[in-house]
Amino acid sequence: MTNAHVGADFERVAAKYFAAEGIILTQNYKVLVGFHTKKKHAFDPGSASPKILVECKSHKWTADGKVPGAKMTTWNEAMYYFHLAPEGYRKIFFILRHGRSENGETLLRYYQRIYAHLIPADVEFIEWNELSGVAIPHPKMT
């Protein structure tokens, strides 16, 4: 299965989760982002009513427990787009819960520990546990 298929499958997981919460999202939801000049950016799913923008990532630690560095770059990019997003939108980072084998640290906890300075204060995190099918919401960063 290609990375694009894995990503699309995970976006469908997110859409089902939000639908169960009574929120219907549109795939590739576009909004204007930018500082002075604005350009349309497609978030994974999103909605105008209620105003929600979601970025989905299904990354894992490498097989030998190392940080997937190139993947973290895409997480940073997602945070940048959340920062540039229009006011009034709820911003949610929906990610796969994956723990490192030697100490159990999840990729989310690692990211929040190392990259806290790049995370907008209004971004919410939801980790999806694929084994249990349970979503774990995390409070906004303070």
Side-chain angles (χ1 to χ4, degrees):
M1 188 176 291
T2 67
N3 285 342
H5 285 102
V6 170
D9 288 348
F10 193 65
E11 288 175 25
R12 283 189 282 280
V13 168
K16 283 182 184 178
Y17 166 77
F18 285 102
E21 298 289 314
I23 301 169
I24 304 304
L25 300 175
T26 302
Q27 292 302 106
N28 295 313
Y29 181 75
K30 294 179 182 174
V31 295
L32 290 174
V33 299
F35 291 109
H36 304 291
T37 303
K38 306 284 185 188
K39 183 178 178 180
K40 283 192 176 182
H41 172 73
F43 285 84
D44 291 332
S47 169
S49 182
K51 288 185 167 190
I52 295 178
L53 301 172
V54 181
E55 282 294 323
C56 300
K57 302 292 181 203
S58 58
H59 301 138
K60 297 180 177 183
W61 294 100
T62 65
D64 59 355
K66 300 253 189 291
V67 175
K71 307 297 188 198
M72 294 294 95
T73 300
T74 68
W75 289 35
N76 290 339
E77 181 183 52
M79 293 304 135
Y80 186 62
Y81 279 113
F82 279 142
H83 177 70
L84 296 174
E87 293 289 322
Y89 277 88
R90 184 177 171 198
K91 302 164 190 171
I92 301 171
F93 199 52
F94 190 91
I95 54 175
L96 181 67
R97 181 177 180 86
H98 194 251
R100 193 184 324 213
S101 57
E102 69 258 12
N103 65 8
E105 182 178 38
T106 66
L107 209 49
L108 171 60
R109 289 294 178 220
Y110 169 83
Y111 184 77
Q112 289 176 325
R113 182 169 55 82
I114 300 300
Y115 296 100
H117 63 291
L118 300 179
I119 302 170
D122 59 347
V123 172
E124 300 171 47
F125 293 89
I126 298 176
E127 280 185 301
W128 177 257
N129 184 323
E130 67 183 338
L131 298 177
S132 66
V134 173
I136 305 156
H138 295 273
K140 296 175 189 172
M141 300 286 292
T142 54

